[in-house]
Amino acid sequence: MDATEIIVVGVGVLAIAFVLWYFFGEREAAAASVTDGGVQQIKVMVKGGYSPDVIVVKEGQPVRFDFFRDETASCSEQVIFGDFGIARDLPAFKTTPIEFTPDKAGEFTFTCGMNMMRGKLIVEPA
Ligand SMILES: [Cu+2]
């Protein structure tokens, strides 16, 4: 192989590694910040997905998500926390607060109304 071929192969390998990381890699989990009132707060950006899409909270303490939907794509117009019986409309370009107290520990998914966009809520045992 000459130098050009080595570079081409190298770039290809890096591109494959990036794709694998992007789709299958472990995402950085975001921990909620706790206010004086003991509410676990976290801002979630909604744009083609949820950011952050892995959120860590503690069981038995109230949680407040501020969902900011930064798009009009109909996919994201609803967010559902099925395990907690919550379904809420998210108006575009607005912040929608969703408050509840996670009463069970474990890993739960939250999704858009079509179950296409997904995020993970990790509730740590109290
Ligand atoms: Cu959707």
Side-chain angles (χ1 to χ4, degrees), residues 32-43:
S33 64
V34 181
T35 62
D36 290 344
V39 177
Q40 311 180 80
Q41 267 190 335
I42 192 136
K43 289 192 173 78

Side-chain angles (χ1 to χ4, degrees), residues 55-114:
I55 298 166
V56 181
V57 297
K58 292 210 169 55
E59 181 189 359
Q61 269 184 53
V63 171
R64 176 187 165 129
F65 292 99
D66 284 319
F67 278 91
F68 182 76
R69 182 168 164 235
D70 193 21
E71 64 180 3
T72 54
S74 63
C75 183
S76 59
E77 68 193 5
Q78 210 182 27
V79 67
I80 295 172
F81 290 79
D83 299 285
F84 299 95
I86 293 168
R88 205 62 55 82
D89 289 333
L90 303 178
F93 310 116
K94 289 212 167 80
T95 297
T96 306
I98 295 180
E99 291 171 292
F100 64 97
T101 300
D103 54 0
K104 50 198 167 198
E107 289 194 7
F108 308 99
T109 26
F110 57 98
T111 66
C112 71
M114 310 146 188

